[in-house]
Amino acid sequence: MADAKIPRQAIPKQTPKDRVKNFNEVALGYTPELAQLEAQRCIQCKKPFCIEGCPVEIDIPAFIKLIKEGDFEGALAKIRETNLLPGVCGRVCPQEEQCEKVCIMARRFEPVAIGRLERFVADWEIQQNKMDLPEIAPPTGHKVAVVGSGPGGLTVAADLAKLGHKVTLFEALHKPGGVLVYGIPEFRLPKAIVARECHILEEIGVDIRTDFVVGRTASVDELFEMEYEAVYLGLGAGLPWFMNIPGENLVGVYSANEYLTRINLMKAYKFPEYDTPIRVGDRVIVVGGGNVAMDSVRSSLRLGAKEAHIIYRRSRKEMPARNEEIENAEAEGVVFNFLVNPVRYIGNEQGRVKQVELLKMELGEPDASGRRRPVPIEGSEYIMDIDTVVVAIGNGANPLVPSSTPGLDTNKWGYIVADTETGKTTKKGVWAGGDIVTGAATVILAMGAGRKAANSIHEYLTTGEW
Amino acid sequence: MFKIVERERVNPVVNKFVIEAPIIAKKREPGQFVIFRLHEKGERIPITIADADPDAGTITVYVQELGKTTFQMGTMQAGDEIADVVGPLGNPTSIEKLSGEMFVIAGGVGAAEVLPIARKHKKIGNKVVAILGFRSKDIVILEDEFRSFADEVYITTDDGSYGREGFVTTELKEHLDKGRNIAEILAVGPAIMMKVVSDLTRHYKIKTMVSLNSIMIDATGMCGVCRVEVGGETRYACVHGPEFDGHKVNFDLLLKRLASFKEEEKISLERYQAAVGGEDG
């Protein structure tokens, strides 16, 4: 039985002093001993809330039990029954908001470290040089196009391939993975892990076509002409938002998407060995308080910035970033500036940003999001010298697919209208999910939407009923 | 991988490539571009499609050697493969029957970029006048191609070594002052050339479109590096463009943003040339 005396096992990490000098992964992962010790903390609830807390409903108590028994291979196979991305999810899912939040152990002690255990078995398989593939149903002859190879698209592709459907995964960039490769940094999610989990999809028969921009290279209607019977749109983030304040187009003001894409997808941190450059300078400010802001600010330190600042208009309590990421950033020396907002950027004669004017804020009444609204303090403006700005305040919708797809309705913000239970859009044979439907969210929510859509697509393919 | 089927040096600084890209060849329309990434460590650069043969499944591009990537591309030969070719990207040029003449103005390798647009204008019955500007005689390209269909073709060179001495605006101004019935002008070339053309035609109140050559990465609207100001609003050249009303474009901002990584580009090119020089020695 579970032993309440065992504390939640910490995950070994690179020290802050070392890790700010490299892009290697911060968290090093459990050893088999630590994993088995942590697994003993699970009390194997008869009615486990953790499964309900997981958008892809992994049988969490079962895989943890197998870890406890030392059957790591069996534990991974158990996870793969419902999730083909354990290496990714174990690292980047906000478990504290999902499975671990509802863990019964959390009521009196700390929750079982479900995410760390999931990651452990995924990594263990790599160390063993193994690749256990899930069972695949016999071919059905149905063809499905999945547009976008981010976490949602990967989930749809995996689920439908396992059911025997022929899936083609279309990706606009040159590598599959979407935000997992262009957005989330190497130090939080090694690209080799993403590549491996994408490769597993290929091994189970998914055809991955990179360099293919649906909406340009082919329209959705042209995919149907290519005899795809169903199309899933997992388009991800669209046009990055800016604040529409003076000076935002100065050189040295990046969207977080651009900044992170240069670093992660294009490997600008290895310039000039890699051709794509990035310029950081001594003092960087990152505007925003989410995970993307944390990724940007921590990357800045690794790129040699002497000072890396978060500029956030509310207080620490309202920050949407994962607590773990905020703590990592603090340990690395990131400076947090709360209750301030940029008003304008000031450039030099070359059009390069040199200063920012900031305005202090105070918290007022709660707004629609339930968080206290920041209210400007009049006359509190001050100037800060800076070399680089990263604007990490979210993304709008990408117009390429909606504008080239008659019959596909969008809402007033340009997001695709889709049924929350099935992912069905207003166009027959077309499903959508993830950020293109909900606006910016998390990896696991996109995967949950993908899971629901895959079920609905399977039903459509087998019954023909829309 | 995308195979180069033909490669020709058309002048001392420009190479022509015919590349196997069957889907793009079938789909592309005049005014659209592709993104190239030469190899695993390469950067992503936008290049306008000059021509395409849907039956052969090929596209044609003209690439001027400016930085590391374009110099490296210049060493590639028929049979070599390019890691990534993505497209067709950007909105096609809007080409309609006009009530007056269509003037296409090109600077340098821009001639290759306006060629398919000018051809289509001619095909749908518009009178096409081309003004092609080059630094000097040795880099004049595509003159015969334009002469084969355009109603009038004028060449200018900065040094007067061929055609008329001066800039494209020297030639254009004369036509404007004659009061010709110009319905629309399209200018494609270096940003500074598009700026001076737009500044000139603004006084004559003649619609002038320009094709903006911003820095791009994904070119699908995700990164925002290509943002430009048009009529005071921020627009993304990759998804809203690449063509915009030249009278509304903030060219000074464009020029500054194009120079964002000037120092890094210099480092990259010098490092490459040193390495290539080393191999030769």
Side-chain angles (χ1 to χ4, degrees):
Chain A
M1 271 315 285
D3 190 338
K5 289 197 289 287
I6 303 172
R8 179 177 159 109
Q9 297 300 302
I11 193 162
K13 289 181 183 178
Q14 284 196 70
T15 66
K17 207 169 133 254
D18 287 339
R19 70 198 194 216
V20 293
K21 295 188 202 109
N22 65 59
F23 271 86
N24 300 335
E25 195 170 14
V26 167
L28 302 171
Y30 279 159
T31 58
E33 293 73 28
L34 282 173
Q36 283 185 282
L37 198 57
E38 180 64 29
Q40 285 183 40
R41 300 183 60 242
C42 173
I43 62 167
Q44 298 289 316
C45 301
K46 288 225 165 53
K47 232 188 102 200
F49 295 122
C50 53
I51 301 180
E52 287 171 35
C54 173
V56 296
E57 298 174 324
I58 295 172
D59 189 345
I60 293 164
F63 95 76
I64 293 181
K65 183 163 183 276
L66 289 161
I67 292 178
K68 191 170 104 178
E69 291 162 0
D71 181 2
F72 305 143
E73 199 170 342
L76 185 58
K78 181 54 74 182
I79 296 172
R80 285 212 175 117
E81 286 175 9
T82 50
N83 179 13
L84 276 186
L85 304 173
V88 170
C89 293
R91 287 173 166 85
V92 302
C93 276
Q95 290 97 10
E96 67 281 6
E97 296 292 329
Q98 291 162 342
C99 54
E100 293 181 15
K101 186 180 185 179
V102 291
C103 173
I104 203 85
M105 288 290 284
R107 294 197 188 166
R108 285 189 55 200
F109 308 100
E110 279 191 283
V112 176
I114 300 167
R116 293 168 185 175
L117 291 172
E118 181 183 27
R119 170 193 163 158
F120 163 75
V121 285
D123 292 359
W124 175 84
E125 190 191 52
I126 300 172
Q127 282 157 15
Q128 306 301 309
N129 271 321
K130 288 184 181 178
M131 192 183 275
D132 251 358
L133 299 176
E135 271 187 51
I136 307 300
T140 61
H142 293 296
K143 276 179 74 181
V144 181
V146 175
V147 183
S149 66
L154 291 172
T155 302
V156 176
D159 284 6
L160 294 174
K162 281 201 278 187
L163 291 163
H165 304 303
K166 185 66 201 157
V167 179
T168 307
L169 190 52
F170 293 97
E171 168 55 49
L173 294 169
H174 53 264
K175 279 199 170 74
V179 72
L180 307 174
V181 294
Y182 78 74
I184 302 176
E186 181 77 17
F187 60 79
R188 211 151 69 78
L189 177 62
K191 299 313 139 208
I193 301 284
V194 182
R196 178 188 162 88
E197 296 193 339
C198 290
H199 180 64
I200 289 175
L201 288 198
E202 290 183 294
E203 290 288 311
I204 63 168
V206 174
D207 185 17
I208 299 181
R209 292 197 62 176
T210 52
D211 295 337
F212 198 109
V213 185
V214 172
R216 292 283 195 211
T217 312
S219 66
V220 169
D221 286 329
E222 283 166 330
L223 293 179
F224 285 119
E225 285 167 25
M226 290 156 74
E227 291 176 349
Y228 291 101
E229 296 155 72
V231 176
Y232 180 79
L233 302 173
L235 309 174
L239 312 187
W241 277 333
F242 287 89
M243 292 170 64
N244 289 320
I245 57 175
E248 264 180 325
N249 291 332
L250 288 166
V251 175
V253 181
Y254 299 87
S255 75
N257 280 357
E258 181 196 347
Y259 196 68
L260 292 172
T261 299
R262 284 184 182 274
I263 298 166
N264 302 324
L265 177 71
M266 306 311 296
K267 306 249 178 284
Y269 63 92
K270 294 183 180 173
F271 177 86
E273 181 199 343
Y274 282 71
D275 292 339
T276 303
I278 193 160
R279 196 185 298 183
V280 172
D282 289 340
R283 195 187 249 184
V284 179
I285 64 164
V286 175
V287 182
N291 289 318
V292 172
M294 295 306 127
D295 286 345
S296 302
V297 79
R298 295 173 67 198
S299 295
S300 302
L301 289 172
R302 285 159 174 80
L303 286 162
K306 292 190 180 119
E307 277 181 40
H309 293 254
I310 283 286
I311 302 290
Y312 184 54
R313 62 191 183 134
R314 306 185 205 234
S315 72
R316 170 165 173 152
K317 212 177 108 213
E318 289 81 22
M319 279 181 109
R322 294 183 72 184
N323 201 39
E324 184 179 343
E325 301 309 326
I326 298 171
E327 284 170 6
N328 278 331
E330 282 172 336
E332 288 166 13
V334 168
V335 185
F336 286 80
N337 302 264
F338 295 116
L339 294 164
V340 278
N341 212 22
V343 182
R344 67 183 173 118
Y345 300 105
I346 302 155
N348 64 11
E349 58 284 3
Q350 283 91 41
R352 191 171 286 279
V353 70
K354 278 290 143 208
Q355 291 178 317
V356 58
E357 183 178 317
L358 295 159
L359 176 64
K360 291 186 183 168
M361 315 290 277
E362 59 191 354
L363 290 179
E365 294 300 308
D367 65 9
S369 73
R371 296 177 298 178
R372 291 179 65 193
R373 183 197 306 273
V375 182
I377 301 174
E378 257 182 72
S380 66
E381 294 91 344
Y382 64 102
I383 300 276
M384 184 173 168
D385 291 338
I386 51 168
D387 298 298
T388 295
V389 178
V390 182
V391 182
I393 58 167
N395 308 283
N398 193 304
L400 287 185
V401 170
S403 66
S404 63
T405 312
L408 186 71
D409 287 358
T410 53
N411 66 18
K412 65 175 169 177
W413 299 285
Y415 297 122
I416 295 174
V417 175
D419 184 87
T420 46
E421 284 312 305
T422 61
K424 280 181 184 171
T425 67
T426 53
K427 189 178 173 76
K428 191 183 175 192
V430 181
W431 284 256
D435 286 7
I436 189 62
V437 172
T438 58
T442 61
V443 166
I444 191 72
L445 286 176
M447 291 177 64
R451 167 67 37 84
K452 287 179 182 171
N455 291 337
S456 174
I457 292 169
H458 178 62
E459 196 184 305
Y460 173 74
L461 293 174
T462 46
T463 66
E465 275 170 42
W466 174 246
Chain B
M1 297 294 263
F2 297 78
K3 195 169 152 193
I4 298 171
V5 291
E6 193 190 316
R7 180 261 189 196
E8 185 195 341
R9 183 167 280 275
V10 294
N11 75 29
V13 291
V14 175
N15 292 291
K16 172 188 172 186
F17 297 89
V18 180
I19 299 159
E20 262 179 26
I23 303 172
I24 302 172
K26 224 170 107 187
K27 181 87 178 176
R28 74 93 213 189
E29 290 182 61
Q32 291 189 296
F33 62 92
V34 287
I35 285 276
F36 280 114
R37 191 182 70 129
L38 295 186
H39 51 75
E40 204 44 43
K41 295 182 178 177
E43 61 184 337
R44 294 170 64 101
I45 58 162
I47 302 278
T48 303
I49 304 167
D51 202 356
D53 182 338
D55 297 324
T58 59
I59 58 167
T60 301
V61 291
Y62 288 74
V63 182
Q64 182 172 0
E65 290 169 336
L66 283 170
K68 189 228 163 174
T69 300
T70 47
F71 271 102
Q72 192 167 30
M73 194 165 170
T75 66
M76 296 179 86
Q77 304 294 338
D80 289 348
E81 289 185 326
I82 296 169
D84 304 281
V85 179
V86 193
L89 297 164
N91 296 304
T93 308
S94 157
I95 301 172
E96 294 163 351
K97 182 76 181 84
L98 301 172
S99 57
E101 297 167 327
M102 177 70 206
F103 267 56
V104 295
I105 321 287
V109 76
E113 300 169 7
V114 298
L115 181 62
I117 300 166
R119 267 207 193 109
K120 192 163 171 194
H121 271 289
K122 184 66 199 173
K123 204 174 145 190
I124 67 163
N126 290 327
K127 181 171 182 187
V128 174
V129 178
I131 302 175
L132 313 175
F134 302 91
R135 228 171 32 237
S136 57
K137 186 184 179 185
D138 61 329
I139 61 163
V140 173
I141 55 168
L142 296 167
E143 183 185 353
D144 293 346
E145 281 80 352
F146 276 95
R147 290 208 186 279
S148 72
F149 71 89
D151 295 280
E152 295 169 36
V153 178
Y154 302 92
I155 309 281
T156 66
T157 52
D158 300 0
D159 63 0
S161 54
Y162 188 66
R164 178 178 199 144
E165 180 173 345
F167 300 115
V168 286
T169 41
T170 323
E171 183 70 42
L172 177 61
K173 188 168 189 307
E174 210 172 278
H175 297 277
L176 291 166
D177 288 338
K178 276 184 198 155
R180 293 181 66 151
N181 178 26
I182 305 173
E184 189 179 328
I185 296 170
L186 171 70
V188 182
I192 186 69
M193 167 261 178
M194 295 189 282
K195 175 182 156 72
V196 296
V197 169
S198 300
D199 285 345
L200 172 66
T201 62
R202 183 176 288 117
H203 304 297
Y204 296 84
K205 296 190 171 62
I206 295 170
K207 182 183 175 186
T208 302
M209 299 299 287
V210 292
S211 180
L212 301 187
N213 51 345
S214 316
I215 295 173
M216 293 185 190
I217 305 177
D218 66 294
T220 63
M222 184 270 284
C223 87
V225 64
C226 67
R227 62 196 191 273
V228 290
E229 273 176 26
V230 184
E233 277 181 38
T234 296
R235 308 292 280 161
Y236 291 3
C238 69
V239 293
H240 300 134
E243 285 175 21
F244 294 99
D245 180 342
H247 296 157
K248 293 183 179 166
V249 170
N250 181 343
F251 280 104
D252 293 335
L253 178 75
L254 176 70
L255 285 161
K256 284 170 179 165
R257 289 190 62 82
L258 282 170
S260 297
F261 294 103
K262 218 172 165 182
E263 289 160 44
E264 288 80 2
E265 284 161 9
K266 190 162 168 267
I267 292 168
S268 204
L269 180 59
E270 284 172 359
R271 187 175 174 271
Y272 171 72
Q273 285 173 331
V276 174
E279 273 168 34
D280 288 349

